[in-house]
Amino acid sequence: MKPVYLLTSLLCLTTIASTVNAQNYVGAKAPLRQNPYIELPLGAIKPQGWLRQMLIKQKEGATGNLDKLYPIVMGNRNGWLGGDGDQWERGPYWIDGLLPLAYILQDKELIAKVKPWVEWSIKSQTPDGYFGPSKDYGSEPGIQRDNSRDWWPKMVMLKVLKQYYQATGDKRVITLLTNYFKYQLTELPKNPLDHWTFWAKWRGGDNLMVVYWLYNITGDKFLLNLADLVHQQTFDFTGEFLKGDMLTKLGSAHGVNLAEGMKEPIIYYQQHPEDKYSDAMKKGFADLTKYNGMAHGLFGADESLHGNNPTQGSELCTAVEMMFTLENSLEITGDIDYADRLEKIAFNALPAQTSEDYMTRQYFQQANQVSLTRASHNFNVNHAGTDVVYGLLSGYPCCTSNMHQGWPKFTQNLWYATPDNGVAALVYSASDVNLKVANGVPISFKEETNYPFDETIKFTLSTDKKTKSVTFPFHLRIPAWCTSATIKVNGTEVQQAKGNQIVKLNREWKSGDVVELVLPMHIFKNTWYENSVSVERGPLVYGLKIGEEEKLVKNDRDPIAYGSEYYEVRPTTPWNYGLIDVRARDLEKSFTIQKKDGVAAYPWSLANAPLQLTVKARRIPNWTLYNDMTGPMPFSVIYNEGTPKEKDEEITLVPYGCTRLRISQFPVVGR
């Protein structure tokens, strides 16, 4: 059979996907819309390269040991284990990351830690369908013992149980969810989502997501009625994004509520595929970026929306929850923009906010971050000044509990099945995947790459010995930042493809076939607050390399609230540089790129940075520290007019994710 290669636009892809039936995996049941991409079973995708190392560090670090490191909450007293301790979100948050980590790694020790939480949750269900903690206790420092019947923590455990079923096929999960959703249908009219606390009203999209997932398995019609009810009681993101001005106002919304909750319109779109829901998501992201966005892919919210000054904080919970929102949005729509945004956060913000051993983290990160000390900053909330230091409990412990889902769920969304019985690689990292294509033929792909540090991604197909050939489509994403990608099959170039589209290769495949995708990366800049600029190459943002002095601080002041110790980091080299104004056509040649041979197992540190850029810059003497952070950003590019010029210096930039101290949004100085 002669190979056929089809380049398909996103619009056409979505249309095609909605008119075919998925045979190999659970597709949508009418009247739900068939999504263009279908999640694979948990464990089907195995990370390799540096991504696997990230998961190993999680296993050996806080994710795998939080019951020992944080026993007051994650120990046997937790209400989700039947105890009289913490009854609320923190236990489910931890398991929401630990469970996918355990099953992706197939780690027996971690699976054994997960099981008691799942078993207690299943066995806790009462005849009326309720499950989870149900008794409130008096106040106790360091734990949350009230609002046990709140809808919100159950939403996190719903995600846990969904993943557990995907990994094990345990049918008790289906029974529990069916009975619980019947309970919700009866109780929500009397006790709506915001009855106990307001969190569930903002985060109802997580509840809705699992309702639709269960419907596609069971087809129980009452679930569609429940979905409409949950949508009605959830904050109206659709109306607010399309017609409101919430995203333009400081303090109008909680950052994590936005990151986690804003997927609700696109989740509901599956039942009601009206343009207003997909349009609301697009406008919501555009406005969030315009009024609060920063170079690292997140936005200023410390805790509430706080604009786009690069010294405003962004919470670690925001990073992992926004990644999950983007993963859901990508699966439902196939929109490349969601994949581009996902990689921006995963390859920049996420690795920068956790320590190499995965034992400490920052509560807030700053795009321009030059001193990490216990001090008051210009945040909505300062948590006694501990927000930017690296600690286990510094800032607030929700991030200690919730940071674990980032890398495992990123791994889970590297690959998808397609309704046309093919396979899609939409987000890139070294990995192996096993799945079924065509009429149930098992195949595997090995993805070899050092992306995002390298431009080449190699996919090698394997089939069993009985399969001489198999025909199926292979979907590949070309990021928007890529001007022209090259696709080769078995060494022969088959396509050149412009960025911001899905390429679909439909051909007869044989075991050993190799697809090579080359995504040439060029240096470009984006403009931000006060006309500052970020330096970017591919999906990576670059920050100034700053010398560091680290200090371990023993916390005798308030260890229950903020941990017994934390790390401060101070600069040992200058940071107050502006980039010299360069015309866009001369930008690339103004930088020198230096690449190391190979990529370290753990690349996200100053010492291991695989790439660095050098460029001419100039000091700005009156740009100094304020509240132990960068002072007010000098407006670009009129700075230095009529004033003596500092001498030009060569500075080094490294990938943002490799930094703890950095300038990533630079003032621009005139020549």
Side-chain angles (χ1 to χ4, degrees):
M1 178 178 176
K2 185 178 179 179
V4 177
Y5 303 99
L6 177 65
L7 181 62
T8 308
S9 72
L10 174 63
L11 178 61
C12 291
L13 176 62
T14 304
T15 303
I16 292 170
S18 65
T19 61
V20 295
N21 295 317
Q23 298 177 4
N24 297 318
Y25 297 95
V26 175
K29 281 185 167 60
L32 296 190
R33 169 188 178 273
Q34 177 58 60
N35 296 330
Y37 297 105
I38 302 170
E39 185 180 9
L40 293 172
L42 186 60
I45 304 167
K46 302 294 185 187
Q48 303 298 337
W50 68 258
L51 182 57
R52 177 174 173 79
Q53 183 66 20
M54 300 303 287
L55 269 63
I56 295 297
K57 284 185 176 293
Q58 282 195 243
K59 170 194 169 182
E60 296 172 349
T63 308
N65 295 283
L66 206 58
D67 50 341
K68 302 171 187 174
L69 298 168
Y70 193 24
I72 189 174
V73 169
M74 303 305 181
N76 291 331
R77 285 187 61 201
N78 191 284
W80 287 91
L81 294 172
D84 66 347
D86 199 284
Q87 310 289 312
W88 212 51
E89 65 180 5
R90 296 180 196 173
Y93 264 158
W94 177 40
I95 305 303
D96 191 32
L98 180 63
L99 187 146
L101 177 70
Y103 283 99
I104 288 171
L105 293 179
Q106 283 297 299
D107 187 280
K108 293 181 179 179
E109 181 182 354
L110 297 186
I111 291 172
K113 288 194 177 189
V114 165
K115 280 294 186 69
W117 296 78
V118 172
E119 290 295 328
W120 187 89
S121 296
I122 292 174
K123 293 173 182 177
S124 73
Q125 191 159 53
T126 53
D128 63 357
Y130 178 85
F131 82 104
S134 59
K135 181 180 178 181
D136 289 351
Y137 297 91
S139 177
E140 184 176 330
I143 57 178
Q144 298 167 302
R145 304 176 81 209
D146 58 353
N147 293 317
S148 60
R149 299 186 73 89
D150 188 12
W151 299 110
W152 158 236
K154 310 314 185 283
M155 295 181 187
V156 186
M157 191 54 74
L158 294 178
K159 293 192 295 178
V160 170
L161 293 169
K162 169 182 175 283
Q163 293 176 98
Y164 179 70
Y165 180 83
Q166 290 174 312
T168 67
D170 190 331
K171 294 182 179 179
R172 294 178 302 161
V173 170
I174 304 302
T175 301
L176 179 143
L177 294 180
T178 300
N179 292 334
Y180 177 66
F181 288 147
K182 289 179 179 178
Y183 170 82
Q184 280 198 306
L185 190 60
T186 300
E187 290 295 317
L188 280 174
K190 298 178 288 185
N191 297 310
L193 291 180
D194 60 356
H195 176 72
W196 281 281
T197 71
F198 67 89
W199 301 102
K201 179 181 178 68
W202 284 82
R203 302 175 180 184
D206 282 345
N207 203 138
L208 191 62
M209 174 189 66
V210 183
V211 170
Y212 288 145
W213 175 80
L214 182 64
Y215 176 78
N216 285 333
I217 294 174
T218 68
D220 288 336
K221 297 297 184 183
F222 84 90
L223 292 168
L224 300 180
N225 296 330
L226 175 61
D228 284 329
L229 180 59
V230 170
H231 170 72
Q232 292 162 12
Q233 293 190 2
T234 300
F235 178 82
D236 183 15
F237 288 100
T238 302
E240 187 59 52
F241 289 166
L242 288 177
K243 299 179 180 179
D245 59 359
M246 178 179 72
L247 298 179
T248 72
K249 294 182 177 180
L250 302 184
S252 60
H254 184 267
V256 180
N257 278 344
L258 272 176
E260 186 163 358
M262 68 182 292
K263 61 176 169 283
E264 197 275 343
I266 212 66
I267 299 291
Y268 194 57
Y269 178 71
Q270 295 172 101
Q271 184 179 357
H272 299 272
E274 302 170 29
D275 288 345
K276 65 178 181 180
Y277 297 115
S278 56
D279 290 347
M281 286 291 288
K282 288 180 177 293
K283 187 172 184 299
F285 273 106
D287 286 349
L288 188 59
T289 302
K290 178 178 180 180
Y291 295 106
N292 301 277
M294 298 182 190
H296 49 46
L298 293 172
F299 52 93
D302 48 31
E303 306 268 332
S304 299
L305 283 180
H306 206 156
N308 52 13
N309 188 322
T311 56
Q312 299 310 143
S314 186
E315 193 174 331
L316 179 53
C317 281
T318 299
V320 296
E321 292 293 357
M322 185 58 87
M323 287 173 62
F324 188 57
T325 284
L326 291 165
E327 288 155 2
N328 278 268
S329 302
L330 175 61
E331 176 186 346
I332 293 169
T333 68
D335 192 325
I336 289 102
D337 181 59
Y338 296 132
D340 288 349
R341 290 178 181 273
L342 172 60
E343 287 191 348
K344 175 69 80 71
I345 297 169
F347 298 148
N348 296 283
L350 184 59
Q353 207 159 357
T354 57
S355 62
E356 182 172 347
D357 61 5
Y358 221 80
M359 293 290 280
T360 63
R361 84 295 176 275
Q362 288 180 290
Y363 187 60
F364 293 143
Q365 68 171 295
Q366 299 165 298
N368 284 359
Q369 180 170 282
V370 298
S371 182
L372 306 181
T373 60
R374 183 167 187 173
S376 292
H377 301 91
N378 289 19
F379 302 151
N380 298 149
V381 183
N382 268 278
H383 299 102
T386 66
D387 291 292
V388 298
V389 299
Y390 282 83
L392 183 67
L393 300 179
S394 51
Y396 196 70
C398 60
C399 291
T400 304
S401 309
N402 195 20
M403 64 181 183
H404 315 283
Q405 66 170 306
W407 291 118
K409 291 183 181 178
F410 180 77
T411 300
Q412 178 67 8
N413 287 274
L414 295 174
W415 294 85
Y416 296 94
T418 65
D420 52 6
N421 298 313
V423 57
L426 302 185
V427 182
Y428 298 124
S429 194
S431 57
D432 298 325
V433 63
N434 294 286
L435 76 160
K436 294 178 181 178
V437 296
N439 58 344
V441 177
I443 67 163
S444 65
F445 267 109
K446 183 177 185 64
E447 179 179 354
E448 298 173 274
T449 184
N450 282 321
Y451 186 87
F453 308 106
D454 284 351
E455 302 171 326
T456 301
I457 306 168
K458 177 183 173 184
F459 304 93
T460 303
L461 173 67
S462 296
T463 65
D464 59 29
K465 293 181 180 179
K466 299 178 182 178
T467 303
K468 293 184 179 180
S469 66
V470 57
T471 300
F472 62 89
F474 183 19
H475 302 226
L476 292 168
R477 158 182 153 262
I478 312 301
W481 51 258
C482 181
T483 56
S484 181
T486 301
I487 303 170
K488 298 179 181 180
V489 176
N490 298 328
T492 300
E493 182 178 316
V494 297
Q495 282 185 7
Q496 290 278 329
K498 293 185 181 300
N500 198 33
Q501 60 182 315
I502 300 290
V503 170
K504 187 163 73 167
L505 301 174
N506 199 355
R507 74 188 298 270
E508 181 181 8
W509 303 90
K510 295 181 180 180
S511 190
D513 281 348
V514 175
V515 176
E516 186 176 358
L517 174 64
V518 181
L519 301 172
M521 298 179 184
H522 64 281
I523 295 173
F524 59 95
K525 61 183 178 180
N526 278 308
T527 303
W528 304 92
Y529 177 80
E530 295 285 34
N531 277 347
S532 61
V533 299
S534 58
V535 176
E536 307 184 32
R537 182 177 180 271
L540 293 180
V541 178
Y542 284 76
L544 177 67
K545 184 177 183 180
I546 300 174
E548 299 179 351
E549 180 183 50
E550 181 184 86
K551 178 183 178 182
L552 176 63
V553 178
K554 299 295 183 181
N555 182 22
D556 299 325
R557 192 193 317 180
D558 38 26
I560 293 178
Y562 303 115
S564 60
E565 60 185 34
Y566 52 82
Y567 289 91
E568 294 184 331
V569 184
R570 291 175 171 82
T572 61
T573 56
W575 56 264
N576 54 343
Y577 288 97
L579 296 182
I580 299 171
D581 190 24
V582 175
R583 293 179 180 179
R585 66 172 182 262
D586 298 324
L587 183 66
E588 187 90 24
K589 63 185 180 183
S590 69
F591 287 86
T592 300
I593 302 175
Q594 299 175 351
K595 298 182 180 181
K596 290 185 177 179
D597 293 333
V599 174
Y602 181 85
W604 304 107
S605 67
L606 285 182
N608 293 343
L611 299 166
Q612 65 180 31
L613 310 178
T614 56
V615 67
K616 294 291 185 181
R618 197 176 297 148
R619 295 278 297 277
I620 303 176
N622 63 355
W623 190 25
T624 58
L625 287 178
Y626 169 75
N627 284 352
D628 236 10
M629 59 187 191
T630 66
M633 171 74 74
F635 184 82
S636 303
V637 290
I638 61 172
Y639 179 82
N640 273 351
E641 286 189 4
T643 61
K645 292 184 178 181
E646 299 294 311
K647 65 179 181 179
D648 291 355
E649 300 179 45
E650 187 173 80
I651 61 171
T652 299
L653 311 184
V654 295
Y656 183 106
C658 299
T659 67
R660 291 188 296 182
L661 305 179
R662 61 189 162 260
I663 297 294
S664 67
Q665 294 177 211
F666 291 88
V668 178
V669 298
R671 289 188 170 275

